[in-house]
Every structure is written in structure tokens, then in C-alpha cells.
Amino acid sequence: MNLPLLQEIALALARELFPKSSRELGVYFVGRKKIAQLNKRFLDHEGPTDVITFDYSEGAKVHGEIFICPDVALRQAKEFGTTPQMELVRYLVHGLLHLRGYDDRTSAKRAKMKRAEDKWVRWTAATFPCEKIWSRKRAG
């Protein structure tokens, strides 16, 4: 994974989504086992998931952690006919939108969040070379 590019994307999205707020964000890329443990412990859901966000924000300060599972991105990219790189972008956007107050627990709220997610994924794709986020090729 191209972590410097992902960091640049995360910082740019945070500036756009939270222009007047101070920000303290952690973005972690974890395996299926770790994301499944977090999913069970904090959400009481079984198995791995794509992204989990923890919001610790207080007042005007945005503070949170986003856990993303690249293994799930690979699987879901095939399922949804997209690339793993764009799935990772989508998960990052999704996590940031949760920190902005979006909720996906009802179908109406999920639809509103999906529209915002699609907008910011398109913005990211137009602004950054997303194809360079991740390559499955190994050096050597």
C-alpha cells in the first residue's frame, strides 16, 4: 500500500469535510482477524467487516479512529465491479462521514450517507491518482 498517498488523501478529505475544526485522526489498516475481533467486541457482529469507526469527538474538535480491512476490499471490489484501490477510498470516506455525523442504521439515513459517500469518492478519484494506492505486485 502507498501509505504516503493514503495519508495525503485522508488529510485532504479531512480538510474538505471539517474545514473549521481541529482534527486528530488515526487510520489503521488491519487484517481480517483483527477487524473481526473489533467487530465482535464493539459492535457485537460476527466476522470481518470493511471499516469500523470510533468517534471520540468533543465540541469543535474532530477526534476518531478508522480501522480498514484491505482483505475485505479485495473481496468486495470483485463483488461490486470496482477496484480494491477505490474500495479503500470508499472505506476511508465512509469512516470520515461517520465522524461528520452521518449514520447508516436506517435505510433513509443509509441512502443519505451513500449519496455523500459517492460524491466524496468521485472527488477523490478526480483529485488523486487512486490507481497508485495499492499494487498487489511484490518487489524482487
Side-chain angles (χ1 to χ4, degrees), residues 10-114:
L11 290 171
L13 282 165
R15 278 192 302 271
E16 293 291 322
L17 289 166
F18 312 105
K20 297 181 181 179
S21 300
S22 64
R23 302 169 293 275
E24 186 176 335
L25 303 171
V27 179
Y28 308 96
F29 296 94
V30 299
R32 293 172 56 83
K33 184 176 179 182
K34 180 66 175 176
I35 202 95
Q37 290 170 344
L38 292 169
N39 204 17
K40 179 63 177 167
R41 180 172 178 197
F42 294 102
L43 301 174
D44 201 28
H45 298 159
E46 292 292 333
T49 189
D50 48 11
V51 58
I52 297 176
T53 304
F54 296 98
D55 188 352
Y56 314 120
S57 300
E58 293 181 12
K61 182 176 183 176
V62 177
H63 181 200
E65 295 179 307
I66 302 169
F67 291 82
I68 294 172
C69 184
D71 295 332
V72 172
L74 277 173
R75 182 177 45 93
Q76 289 189 347
K78 290 177 188 172
E79 182 179 334
F80 297 126
T82 187
T83 66
Q85 295 87 341
M86 292 314 298
E87 277 298 291
L88 290 176
V89 167
R90 182 168 297 281
Y91 303 163
L92 179 59
V93 167
H94 187 89
L96 289 166
L97 289 175
H98 273 304
L99 295 176
R100 189 158 181 209
Y102 282 80
D103 185 356
D104 56 2
R105 288 181 257 178
T106 68
S107 59
K109 289 180 180 180
R110 193 167 27 260
K112 181 179 179 183
M113 187 172 187
K114 179 76 166 82

